[in-house]
């Protein structure tokens, strides 16, 4: 087991002592005049707030072992020197590590080193040493994935303290907010924000339902910052309707007309309607909302911060249940909808207590400082809001977020499904999230207009060509990066084939020259959250970040948190910090030769493969993706042998760390006037690799606060040995030889030169392994599947692979 902590603030001892006093672990500075044993006993007694009496705490202390032959109680009865071994034996037990399982009482230091826990290297403890070690202990993560101080809080440390003592709220320790707010008394209310848009064309500005959770302390004057999650799924989804609209992908690739527009030609119009409906007249004002709610579609990271004095807001946006408007899947109207809520939180927009009475209500409890959190579509809208430059948005935490919807549903002139959702498109997602359908009286009058809008979206998204056009240009947030004022923390999975890594890579590159702070965390997972990992102090990192950005705490978050943090793909529980993603190291240039990837010059030779499968194999693979994936990349004889080419390096003599996007350059010919190519970069070599998804370690092991919600503790673990691992993928329409918006005529059997950047990554290839490139056409999981009789030829003298390296 290894625990990685990146959010610990290193303070001078005088600061540590002041914080120990403020948190009532010690009374005052006179503690330095007491012996270590006396102080240790007092500190240990504070570790059991669930016990109502000192005797009860002493009973708990008696269960701890200081050495193999000495209990904690026996240790505390003498005035001998406190040794490092004794203290860390006690500390490890307090951190929930088990004697004989996780460490041995004869040598706790070895366990500290292996688990990667902080420690003091002194002979015997002075009282100052003890207090310093205790401060470090409070910031150290337990076996169950939370800091020791968080663990004490969930057992009632602050709740018990607040019965007799007043603490400042928010309460800070080691630069981070602590769980001193009672989540049993959260105020839950609903307001309706008026947005500057009329997306359903009913002659009224759209009203947007907003659900708010805020601390009861706001009722007595506390102003708090807000974590805002814009979730189109929040009010429910139309799964059956979305499934009916899902597009048939068993269609042939068709020839596209030759076109050569410029990006300027395709630029989406940003013009607003000449006139918008007038704003509603405010007929009165209220200080409190009239509508409440019982349970929101919560996000555990937000739950964590509700116990630490932040308000949390959820809004589903236009076209969702109890809001107005139509769904638009990521266009400027949806940005406007998302931003409107921020403007209300910042005191710059009107909201009402309901949709009828025109009674206005302000976010008077708000400090006017806002962060947006969320994964996938939710994180996508965080990026959209940031590109507006809206006042009040101080930071976003975007996880697995789309930065251009073209890169989600298209790629290099091809219709590409997000992983796991073959046949989905922008119109399908709009239908799935149009939760106004769930209320018949609201939906039926607007049904014809909605169906017309949905049909228009289906046409404009253009599944026939897959080209970049004005529809996708309107949904490309990277065009507006220069408008961003908010600092950004990005999180993405390097194995996320739903929102593919290109989305976050291009964001990272595009933000480099902007005057905002950007951080990125890259994990080895797919489309997941990482706030419940055992090996990483992610919630602490976000806590440090948000306290800096929203509360103005001078905790050096920008300097402490790594710019780039990457989970290692070869070792469990290992995270590596880098200054940048990618870098300027000279790449590896390889030629395709026969079945080899080699640095030698490739001879003139032709390699061929076909796209057509037998009908039984085609039918089987369409519903058995795992079998298709295996047969595609396996070097054994499989039904896919004639349908792909595999090129492999010789076994590596030293480790290679890839960083960024590999580039494939090919001289290729198709036997028809249409063609597509797909690519897989593979790590070949038998090895135990990280599991595809994080494994459950302990259910409900993570408490988000005292008597509050819980989360499961998870971690990636080594799975059974496999012969290969997917590194990256890519797809290309052969008519899009220059870019995604201009198409060329493809002459049958005539060679053309094409180049494609595969999805970016950070990946360690171990010595003895081989790097492989698989070239094929139809991707059963992502492209159209026409099973066409197309033969492809590669002129190997013009085929190359460029592998970028990650700088240390």
């Amino acid at each position: 087991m290894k625990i990685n902590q990146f959010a610990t603030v290193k303070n001078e001892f005088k600061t540590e002592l002041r914080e120990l006093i403020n948190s009532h672990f010690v009374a005052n500075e006179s503690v330095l005049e007491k012996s270590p044993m006396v102080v240790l006993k007092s500190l240990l007694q504070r570790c059991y707030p669930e016990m109502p009496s000192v005797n009860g705490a002493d009973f708990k202390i008696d269960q701890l072992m200081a050495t193999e032959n000495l209990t904690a109680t026996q240790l505390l009865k003498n005035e001998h020197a406190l040794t490092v071994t004794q203290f860390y034996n006690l500390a490890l037990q307090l951190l929930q590590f088990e004697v004989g399982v996780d460490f041995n009482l004869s040598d706790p230091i070895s366990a500290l080193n292996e688990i990667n826990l902080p420690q003091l290297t002194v002979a015997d403890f002075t009282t100052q040493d003890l207090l310093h070690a205790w401060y470090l202990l409070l910031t150290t993560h337990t076996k169950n994935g939370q800091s020791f101080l968080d663990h004490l809080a969930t057992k009632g440390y602050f709740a018990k303290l607040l019965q007799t003592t007043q603490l400042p709220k928010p309460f800070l320790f080691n630069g981070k907010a602590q769980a001193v707010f009672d989540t049993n008394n959260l105020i839950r209310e609903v307001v309706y924000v008026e947005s500057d848009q009329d997306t359903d064309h009913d002659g009224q500005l759209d009203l947007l339902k907003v659900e708010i959770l805020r601390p009861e302390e706001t009722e007595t004057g506390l102003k708090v910052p807000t974590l805002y999650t814009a979730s189109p799924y929040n009010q429910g989804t139309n799964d059956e309707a979305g499934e009916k609209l899902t597009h048939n992908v068993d269609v042939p690739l068709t020839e596209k007309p030759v076109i050569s527009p410029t990006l300027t030609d395709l630029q989406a119009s940003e013009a607003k309607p000449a006139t918008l409906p007038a704003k509603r007249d405010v007929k009165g004002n209220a200080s409190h909302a009239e509508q409440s709610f019982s349970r929101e579609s919560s996000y555990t990271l937000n739950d964590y911060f509700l116990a630490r004095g932040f308000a949390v807001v959820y809004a589903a946006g236009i076209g969702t249940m109890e809001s107005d408007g139509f769904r638009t899947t990521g266009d400027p109207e949806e940005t406007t909808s998302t931003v409107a809520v921020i403007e209300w939180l910042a005191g710059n927009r009107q909201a009402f207590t309901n949709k009828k009475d025109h009674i206005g209500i302000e976010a008077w409890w708000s400090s006017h400082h806002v962060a947006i959190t969320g994964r996938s579509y939710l994180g996508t809208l965080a990026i959209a809001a940031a590109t507006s430059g809206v006042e009040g948005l101080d930071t976003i935490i975007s996880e697995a977020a789309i930065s251009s919807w073209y890169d989600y549903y298209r790629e290099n002139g091809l219709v590409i499904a997000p992983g796991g959702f073959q046949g989905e498109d922008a119109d399908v997602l709009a239908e799935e999230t149009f939760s106004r359908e769930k209320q018949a009286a609201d939906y039926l009058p607007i049904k014809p207009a909605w169906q017309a809008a949905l049909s228009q979206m289906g046409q404009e998204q253009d599944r026939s060509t897959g080209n970049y056009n004005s529809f996708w240009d309107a949904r490309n947030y990277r065009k507006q990066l220069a408008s961003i004022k908010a600092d950004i923390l990005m999180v993405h999975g390097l194995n996320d084939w739903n929102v593919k890594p290109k989305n976050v890579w291009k964001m990272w590159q595009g933000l480099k020259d902007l005057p905002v702070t950007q951080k990125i965390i890259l994990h080895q997972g797919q489309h997941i959250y990482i706030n419940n990992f055992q090996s990483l102090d992610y919630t602490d990192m976000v806590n440090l970040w948000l306290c800096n950005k929203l509360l103005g705490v001078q905790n050096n978050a920008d300097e402490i948190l790594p710019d780039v943090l990457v989970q290692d793909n070869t070792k469990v529980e290992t995270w590596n910090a880098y200054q940048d993603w990618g870098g300027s190291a000279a790449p590896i240039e390889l030629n395709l030769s026969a079945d080899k990837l080699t640095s030698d010059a490739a001879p003139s030779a032709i390699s061929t493969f076909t796209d057509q499968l037998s009908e039984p194999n085609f039918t089987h693979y369409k519903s058995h993706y795992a079998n298709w994936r295996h047969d595609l990349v396996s070097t054994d004889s499989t039904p896919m042998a004639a349908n792909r080419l595999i090129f492999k390096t010789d076994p590596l003599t030293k480790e290679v760390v890839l960083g960024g996007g590999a580039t494939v350059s090919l001289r290729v010919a198709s036997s028809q006037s249409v063609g597509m190519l797909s690519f897989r970069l593979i790590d070949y070599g038998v090895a135990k690799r990280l599991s595809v998804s994080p494994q459950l370690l302990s259910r409900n092991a993570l408490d988000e606060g005292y008597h509050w919600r819980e989360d499961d503790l998870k971690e990636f673990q080594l799975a059974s040995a496999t012969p290969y691992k997917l590194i990256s993928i890519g797809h290309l329409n052969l008519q899009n030889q220059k870019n995604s918006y201009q198409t060329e005529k493809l002459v049958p059997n005539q060679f053309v030169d094409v180049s494609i950047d595969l999805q970016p990554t950070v990946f360690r290839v171990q010595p003895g392994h081989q790097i492989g490139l698989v070239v094929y056409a139809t991707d059963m999981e992502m492209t159209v599947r026409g099973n066409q009789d197309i033969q492809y030829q590669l002129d190997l003298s013009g085929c190359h692979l460029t592998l970028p390296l990650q700088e240390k």
Side-chain angles (χ1 to χ4, degrees):
M1 183 189 308
K2 183 179 180 182
I3 295 174
N4 302 268
Q5 292 191 235
F6 295 94
T8 304
V9 180
K10 295 181 180 179
N11 289 316
E12 296 180 352
F13 176 71
K14 63 179 182 181
T15 301
E16 294 177 344
L17 181 58
R18 182 174 66 250
E19 292 189 12
L20 289 172
I21 294 170
N22 292 342
S23 53
H24 293 261
F25 282 98
V26 298
N28 50 52
E29 293 183 0
S30 65
V31 67
L32 292 170
E33 301 171 6
K34 299 179 181 179
S35 72
M37 286 299 178
V38 170
V39 176
L40 178 60
K41 181 175 182 179
S42 176
L43 292 172
L44 289 173
Q45 287 175 333
R46 284 164 169 75
C47 292
Y48 302 99
E50 71 275 22
M51 303 305 292
S53 66
V54 172
N55 287 339
D58 286 346
F59 166 77
K60 289 286 191 176
I61 293 171
D62 196 41
Q63 310 308 306
L64 303 175
M65 294 297 295
T67 69
E68 293 174 297
N69 302 307
L70 194 67
T71 68
T73 300
Q74 291 169 335
L75 172 72
L76 296 172
K77 287 180 178 178
N78 66 61
E79 277 299 317
H80 296 297
L82 176 62
T83 69
V84 167
T85 296
Q86 292 165 345
F87 177 81
Y88 283 113
N89 276 333
L90 298 174
L92 283 166
Q93 292 167 82
L94 292 173
L95 294 173
Q96 301 173 296
F97 294 99
E98 295 182 46
V99 174
V101 176
D102 301 306
F103 75 103
N104 294 316
L105 291 167
S106 61
D107 186 15
I109 304 304
S110 293
L112 292 173
N113 293 333
E114 182 178 347
I115 302 170
N116 197 36
L117 301 181
Q119 58 185 284
L120 266 65
T121 54
V122 296
D124 297 327
F125 275 62
T126 65
T127 299
Q128 180 169 323
D129 291 333
L130 171 61
L131 293 173
H132 175 51
W134 192 262
Y135 183 89
L136 290 179
L137 178 64
L138 291 171
T139 66
T140 299
H141 267 224
T142 70
K143 183 179 180 179
N144 284 336
Q146 58 188 175
S147 75
F148 184 48
L149 184 53
D150 274 354
H151 173 65
L152 294 182
T154 63
K155 295 203 300 178
Y157 179 81
F158 289 117
K160 185 175 182 179
L161 192 60
L162 285 164
Q163 293 174 2
T164 57
T165 306
Q166 284 193 339
L167 292 176
K169 294 184 178 181
F171 183 76
L172 299 173
F173 191 92
N174 197 240
K176 297 175 281 289
Q178 301 303 312
V180 298
F181 289 82
D182 187 351
T183 49
N184 293 304
N185 295 323
L186 290 171
I187 296 168
R188 296 166 175 267
E189 55 189 357
V190 175
V191 303
Y192 294 85
V193 171
E194 185 178 61
S195 185
D196 289 338
Q197 55 194 148
D198 178 18
T199 56
D200 52 11
H201 311 294
D202 66 351
Q204 298 185 83
L205 295 177
D206 293 342
L207 288 175
L208 308 172
K209 180 182 180 182
V210 179
E211 296 177 331
I212 303 155
L213 298 94
R214 56 183 173 90
E216 66 171 342
E217 287 83 351
T218 53
E219 290 293 295
T220 53
L222 181 65
K223 305 290 185 182
V224 296
T226 303
L227 304 189
Y228 165 34
T229 297
S231 171
Y233 310 113
N234 181 261
Q235 297 296 312
T237 56
N238 309 310
D239 296 341
E240 184 176 343
E243 185 174 346
K244 288 180 179 178
L245 192 60
T246 298
H247 299 274
N248 176 26
V249 299
D250 294 334
V251 296
L253 187 67
T254 58
E255 185 174 349
K256 299 191 280 191
V258 175
I259 57 172
S260 55
T262 66
L263 282 175
T264 301
D265 297 331
L266 303 177
Q267 187 170 347
S269 172
E270 297 182 8
K272 287 282 186 181
T275 58
L276 280 171
K279 294 181 181 296
R280 292 168 175 80
D281 293 329
V282 180
K283 297 181 179 179
N285 291 284
S287 60
H288 289 75
E290 63 180 50
Q291 182 178 344
S292 185
F293 58 99
S294 58
R295 178 65 190 263
E296 73 290 350
S297 180
S298 65
Y299 167 31
T300 54
L301 185 68
N302 290 349
D303 293 341
Y304 177 87
F305 284 100
L306 278 167
R308 286 152 180 83
F310 294 73
V312 169
V313 160
Y314 294 94
I318 47 174
T320 58
M321 189 166 64
E322 297 190 351
S323 292
D324 299 331
F326 287 162
R327 300 297 305 147
T328 59
T329 310
D331 79 342
E333 294 284 12
E334 192 162 22
T335 301
T336 298
S337 165
T338 305
V339 165
V341 177
I342 300 171
E343 291 174 326
W344 177 71
L345 292 167
N348 300 320
R349 180 161 293 280
Q350 184 65 60
F352 298 96
T353 57
N354 61 45
K355 296 178 72 173
K356 297 294 185 182
D357 294 335
H358 295 199
I359 303 300
I361 185 169
E362 296 181 355
W364 48 265
W365 45 265
S366 169
S367 69
H368 298 174
H369 293 285
V370 181
I372 306 190
T373 63
R375 173 180 61 95
S376 194
Y377 204 161
L378 291 58
T380 300
L381 294 179
I383 291 176
T387 60
S388 74
V390 60
E391 181 182 345
L393 180 61
D394 297 295
T395 185
I396 70 170
I397 301 172
S398 60
E399 304 183 57
I402 298 165
S403 61
S404 169
W405 285 85
Y406 185 86
D407 289 340
Y408 186 64
Y409 285 123
R410 304 288 186 271
E411 185 179 0
N412 298 312
L414 284 176
V415 174
I416 297 292
F421 298 95
Q422 181 65 290
E424 189 189 288
D425 216 324
D427 58 342
V428 178
L429 186 57
E431 173 64 17
E432 287 178 341
T433 56
F434 187 60
S435 52
R436 288 184 71 180
E437 289 187 18
K438 294 184 173 298
Q439 294 183 313
D442 183 36
Y443 172 57
L444 292 178
I446 61 171
K447 181 177 179 180
W450 167 243
Q451 292 299 325
L454 199 61
S455 176
Q456 182 177 357
M457 184 182 294
Q459 295 174 20
E460 292 178 352
Q461 69 191 7
D462 182 18
R463 288 184 66 87
S464 63
T465 74
N467 283 356
Y468 187 87
N469 59 19
S470 59
F471 178 89
W472 299 111
D473 192 69
R475 293 160 172 81
N476 182 359
Y477 308 125
R478 297 194 297 262
K479 291 170 44 187
Q480 286 85 38
L481 293 186
S483 300
I484 292 178
K485 301 175 184 176
D487 291 338
I488 298 180
L489 172 59
M490 296 171 280
V491 182
H492 214 100
L494 292 169
N495 293 286
D496 189 345
W497 309 124
N498 182 328
V499 179
K500 301 175 187 69
K502 182 185 295 183
N503 282 278
V504 74
W505 165 262
K506 289 189 174 181
M507 278 291 292
W508 178 259
Q509 300 299 324
L511 290 167
K512 283 185 175 181
D513 295 329
L514 298 182
V516 297
T517 300
Q518 60 168 337
K519 307 285 183 180
I520 188 168
I521 301 174
L522 300 170
H523 59 83
Q524 293 298 328
Q526 297 177 329
H527 202 60
I528 60 172
Y529 288 117
I530 65 167
N531 54 292
N532 57 356
F533 279 19
Q534 182 185 57
S535 67
L536 182 67
D537 63 336
Y538 179 72
T539 51
D540 289 351
M541 296 172 72
V542 175
N543 197 337
L544 192 76
W545 179 264
L546 291 178
C547 284
N548 178 259
K549 306 305 174 185
L550 300 187
L551 294 176
V553 178
Q554 300 303 305
N555 56 18
N556 299 317
D558 289 355
E559 293 74 31
I560 291 172
L561 299 180
D563 290 338
V564 178
L565 186 61
V566 183
Q567 185 182 19
D568 197 292
N569 64 285
T570 64
K571 304 173 185 176
V572 294
E573 303 154 350
T574 301
W575 297 79
N576 302 310
Y578 299 95
Q579 292 183 343
D580 198 2
W581 183 9
S584 57
I588 298 174
E589 302 285 352
L590 298 172
N591 298 312
L592 279 59
S593 178
D595 58 353
K596 294 286 187 181
L597 288 173
T598 174
S599 57
D600 298 332
S604 179
I606 303 297
S607 290
T608 63
F609 66 96
T610 182
D611 193 27
Q612 193 170 50
L613 288 162
S614 69
E615 195 59 37
N617 286 334
F618 178 68
T619 301
H620 174 76
Y621 285 142
K622 285 194 303 180
S623 56
H624 296 84
Y625 290 153
N627 291 354
W628 171 76
R629 287 193 294 265
H630 171 270
D631 291 353
L632 174 69
V633 304
S634 174
T635 54
D636 297 333
S637 178
T638 76
M640 288 294 298
N643 299 81
R644 79 306 192 250
L645 297 172
I646 299 179
F647 304 89
K648 296 165 68 174
T649 64
D650 290 331
L652 302 181
T653 59
K654 62 180 181 180
E655 180 182 75
V656 170
V657 185
L658 307 178
T663 301
V664 181
S665 301
L666 297 181
R667 185 164 296 149
V668 60
S670 167
S671 64
Q672 294 193 26
S673 59
V674 297
M676 62 178 167
L677 291 177
S678 299
F679 306 89
R680 295 201 166 210
L681 194 65
I682 304 291
D683 168 21
Y684 284 103
V686 177
K688 289 186 176 182
R689 296 177 168 90
L690 296 183
S691 52
V692 174
S693 300
Q695 304 299 299
L696 175 67
L697 298 182
S698 182
R699 192 169 300 282
N700 298 330
L702 283 170
D703 288 308
E704 308 295 346
Y706 182 56
H707 291 172
W708 185 221
R709 293 172 182 167
E710 300 164 329
D711 199 3
D712 296 336
L713 185 67
K714 295 184 177 182
E715 188 58 56
F716 284 99
Q717 297 179 329
L718 288 178
S720 300
T722 57
Y724 53 79
K725 173 71 170 70
L726 176 64
I727 301 174
S728 185
I729 61 176
H731 306 87
L732 171 72
N733 191 313
L734 287 180
Q735 286 195 259
N736 293 79
Q737 295 159 28
K738 296 178 182 177
N739 49 53
S740 62
Y741 52 90
Q742 296 174 327
T743 54
E744 314 288 332
K745 184 175 181 61
L746 190 64
V747 180
N749 298 314
Q750 180 174 305
F751 284 93
V752 296
D753 292 316
V754 296
S755 182
I756 175 177
D757 292 333
L758 304 186
Q759 293 294 328
T761 189
V762 179
F763 192 94
R764 293 179 182 273
V765 187
Q766 295 295 285
H769 287 210
Q770 296 170 280
I771 298 173
L773 178 68
V774 183
V775 183
Y776 59 108
T778 296
D779 189 317
M780 287 289 172
E781 296 181 277
M782 294 187 184
T783 68
V784 293
R785 308 180 298 211
N787 202 29
Q788 292 162 278
D789 184 13
I790 304 177
Q791 315 302 315
Y792 293 93
Q793 302 178 72
L794 298 188
D795 178 354
L796 299 184
S797 65
C799 298
H800 318 282
L801 173 65
T802 303
L803 298 173
L805 300 182
Q806 176 65 36
E807 288 203 318
K808 297 180 180 180

